């Protein structure tokens, strides 16, 4: 889900490129490296995540948190912070 | 009937169960969709050599509540509803460009991202409505000397569809060096925004001249090009980086009907703009701090009914500081 969200916000066709087609490889990129245009691109990424996150056991990420995220690593952390781990 | 009521209740419950987030924004004017570079609110005072002074103000203070609906499946479209209330002031007391709009605006917008565009490039759509109510200075006669204006009650309704599209880039993303001194210039970025819709504009009060309602259709297209990429820090000039943005925009508003003393007309507006957004390169700037200057050059010609602009050619240069 996170990979699809980033692919939707970036003009690169990440899904068909062997060098970038996994989230682990994307982890070192910033949104700028991926040409995710501030405002529109990030809006697409976060809208996709917030709409689908409940299906994966997480909670929607507040604007106050998502607006500070500038890279894929930060995005993964922000999303995983919402997942409640039950003992 | 009962099934319909149950469906409606389920939809309301689904919306209420989704968390809502709110935000307050202040800019020079409203936009149907967010832009990476928003013109900040301005207040200016100019005293000319002839002793005459000019004041201008452009402010749009908006409170928005957003709610994202939970999707039913991993491939279902993502939607987000936003309700907003705003207060605005657009004022200019120069003899040849008088403007005095103030009022409130209520808006609703639904942002939509589909899962069917494949590798065409990032794309989103929005549809919504807006009701504006306030007072406006209306130009009654541009042939008179001095031009004849009248302060009137204005009420406008707008229904629109708008979209964003960023063409796909070939190749693969490349990582920049961590050292800002050795960053290579980024590749070109561009994106398009478009809108289409219907409007209704009603004028009442004042001296009674020029009152009535105009209903019409509108369309607009905007092309934004960033020849050196969108990251100012990648194009260093000393301790600052700069990201130029060229914008070309065209819009048309065409009255379909007119009532009262108003006549049918067509309003076209063309704009060319260059924005230079500077950014401090914090790693090397040291004591420069985080004050970021920006320069905007804009040339526009035409009229805008909903923006309250009579036909005119205008060149504007603005300098902004943000931190």
């Amino acid at each position: 889900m996170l990979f699809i969200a980033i692919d939707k916000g970036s003009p690169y066709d990440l899904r068909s490129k062997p060098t970038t087609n996994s989230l682990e490889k994307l982890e070192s990129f910033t949104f700028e490296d991926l040409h995710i245009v501030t405002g529109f691109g990030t809006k697409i990424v976060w809208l996709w995540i917030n709409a689908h996150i409940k299906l994966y056991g997480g909670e929607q990420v507040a604007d106050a948190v998502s607006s500070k995220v500038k890279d894929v690593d930060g995005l993964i952390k922000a999303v995983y912070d919402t997942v409640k781990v039950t003992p | 009937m009962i099934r319909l009521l149950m469906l409606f209740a389920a939809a309301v419950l689904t919306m209420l169960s989704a968390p809502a987030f709110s935000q307050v924004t202040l800019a020079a004017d409203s936009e149907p969709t967010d832009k990476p570079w928003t013109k900040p609110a301005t207040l200016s005072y100019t005293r000319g050599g002839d002793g005459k002074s000019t004041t201008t103000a452009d402010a749009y203070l908006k409170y928005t509540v957003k709610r994202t609906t939970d999707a039913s499946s991993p491939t279902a479209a993502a939607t987000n509803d936003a309700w907003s209330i705003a207060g605005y002031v657009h004022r200019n007391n120069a003899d040849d460009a008088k403007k005095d709009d103030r009022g409130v605006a209520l808006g609703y917008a639904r942002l939509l991202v589909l899962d069917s565009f494949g590798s065409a490039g990032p794309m989103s759509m929005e549809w919504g409505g807006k009701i504006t109510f306030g007072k406006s200075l209306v130009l009654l006669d541009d042939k008179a000397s001095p031009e004849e204006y009248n302060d009137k009650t204005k009420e406008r309704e707008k229904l629109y569809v708008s979209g964003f599209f960023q063409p796909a880039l070939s190749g693969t993303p490349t990582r920049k060096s961590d050292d800002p001194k050795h960053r290579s210039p980024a590749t070109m970025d561009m994106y398009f925004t478009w809108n289409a819709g219907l409007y209704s504009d009603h004028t009442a009060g004042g001296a009674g001249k020029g009152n009535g309602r105009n209903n019409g259709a509108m369309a607009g297209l905007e092309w934004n090009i960033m020849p050196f990429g969108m990251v100012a820090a990648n194009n260093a000039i000393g301790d600052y980086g700069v990201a130029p943005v060229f914008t070309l925009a065209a819009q048309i508003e065409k009255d379909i009907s007119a009532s009262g003393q108003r006549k049918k007309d067509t309003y076209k507006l063309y704009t060319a703009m260059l924005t230079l957004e500077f950014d401090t390169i914090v790693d090397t700037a040291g004591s420069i701090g985080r004050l970021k200057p920006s320069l905007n050059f804009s040339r526009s010609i035409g009229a805008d009914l909903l923006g309250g602009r009579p036909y005119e050619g205008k060149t504007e240069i603005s300098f902004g500081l943000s931190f």
Side-chain angles (χ1 to χ4, degrees):
Chain A
M1 189 269 287
L2 295 182
F3 178 80
I4 289 170
I6 295 164
D7 185 47
K8 284 195 160 298
S10 171
Y12 287 115
D13 185 10
L14 301 172
R15 278 184 257 197
S16 69
K17 297 286 184 295
T19 49
T20 48
N21 69 353
S22 77
L23 206 53
E24 290 74 32
K25 288 170 190 164
L26 280 179
E27 227 175 311
S28 54
F29 289 96
T30 64
F31 285 174
E32 296 161 359
D33 299 337
L34 296 164
H35 291 244
I36 295 174
V37 175
T38 317
F40 287 111
T42 47
K43 217 171 181 180
I44 291 173
V45 172
W46 286 109
L47 174 54
W48 194 263
I49 289 173
N50 279 341
H52 295 87
I53 198 164
K54 214 154 195 181
L55 297 168
Y56 300 90
E59 293 294 329
Q60 294 187 8
V61 182
D63 282 356
V65 176
S66 60
S67 61
K68 291 187 185 113
V69 174
K70 305 284 178 221
D71 50 33
V72 178
D73 191 34
L75 177 140
I76 294 169
K77 281 198 184 85
V79 172
Y80 274 74
D81 280 352
T82 72
V83 181
K84 291 184 186 79
V85 181
T86 41
Chain B
M1 184 65 186
I2 291 169
R3 192 174 287 176
L4 261 178
L5 280 172
M6 281 170 71
L7 270 174
F8 179 73
V12 170
L13 279 173
T14 310
M15 284 185 73
L16 290 176
S17 64
F21 302 116
S22 63
Q23 66 177 30
V24 178
T25 51
L26 176 64
D29 208 350
S30 72
E31 290 286 346
T33 41
D34 291 359
K35 286 170 109 179
W37 283 273
T38 308
K39 207 171 164 188
T42 58
L43 181 65
S44 79
Y45 173 81
T46 312
R47 190 166 173 82
D50 55 359
K52 278 187 179 173
S53 60
T54 308
T55 54
T56 68
D58 277 299
Y60 198 96
L61 183 66
K62 184 162 79 164
Y63 176 72
T64 311
V65 177
K66 287 194 285 184
R67 194 188 297 274
T68 303
T69 308
D70 292 322
S72 55
S73 78
T75 53
T79 56
N80 179 316
D81 296 299
W83 290 267
S84 64
I85 181 162
Y88 64 87
V89 177
H90 299 295
R91 180 166 292 174
N92 190 337
N93 69 348
D95 289 341
D96 56 348
K98 270 191 182 161
K99 197 171 195 183
D100 193 4
D101 300 338
R102 62 273 186 215
V104 291
L106 298 171
Y108 166 77
R110 168 164 273 208
L111 182 65
L112 178 74
V113 175
L114 297 171
D115 192 29
S116 57
F117 294 125
S119 58
M123 214 181 281
S124 65
M125 265 189 294
E126 188 174 280
W127 62 265
K130 194 169 155 184
I131 298 172
T132 311
F133 189 80
K135 300 279 277 183
S136 277
L137 203 59
V138 176
L139 176 64
L140 296 181
D141 189 356
D142 59 353
K143 306 278 189 301
S145 182
E147 290 172 331
E148 197 185 334
Y149 287 90
N150 202 251
D151 201 26
K152 289 181 178 295
T153 303
K154 273 267 185 194
E155 154 250 309
R156 301 179 197 111
E157 291 83 31
K158 197 163 103 171
L159 284 171
Y160 66 87
V161 182
S162 66
F164 158 75
F165 171 59
Q166 186 182 5
L169 285 174
S170 58
T172 51
T174 48
R175 285 171 58 197
K176 310 284 184 319
S177 157
D178 289 337
D179 178 2
K181 287 271 184 201
H182 295 97
R183 283 172 175 238
S184 55
T187 47
M188 184 174 82
D189 275 299
M190 72 163 77
Y191 68 88
F192 299 88
T193 61
W194 56 268
N195 69 78
L198 298 168
Y199 63 81
S200 182
D201 182 79
H202 185 247
T203 308
K209 218 167 139 187
N211 286 351
R213 185 178 288 278
N214 280 16
N215 296 317
M218 61 185 184
L221 180 67
E222 191 177 289
W223 183 24
N224 289 275
I225 312 134
M226 292 161 267
F228 306 113
M230 51 174 278
V231 190
N234 286 346
N235 312 302
I237 303 172
D239 287 327
Y240 282 90
V242 63
V245 189
F246 293 91
T247 306
L248 295 172
Q251 72 168 52
I252 182 167
E253 293 158 338
K254 191 174 173 54
D255 292 336
I256 296 166
S257 69
S259 65
Q261 297 147 318
R262 297 179 70 175
K263 291 189 180 104
K264 277 204 285 184
D265 209 343
T266 300
Y267 310 84
K268 291 176 186 167
L269 179 65
Y270 303 96
T271 310
M273 197 158 70
L274 168 63
T275 308
L276 296 171
E277 187 93 3
F278 292 90
D279 197 359
T280 47
I281 301 170
V282 177
D283 313 59
T284 55
S287 60
I288 280 184
R290 288 171 182 270
L291 207 58
K292 295 176 184 178
S294 67
L295 264 174
N296 183 282
F297 305 91
S298 159
R299 171 72 189 161
S300 57
I301 188 155
D304 180 5
L305 174 73
L306 300 181
R309 172 183 165 144
Y311 186 91
E312 62 180 341
K314 211 157 55 167
T315 305
E316 290 166 285
I317 301 172
S318 53
F319 176 70
L321 282 172
S322 61
F323 52 89

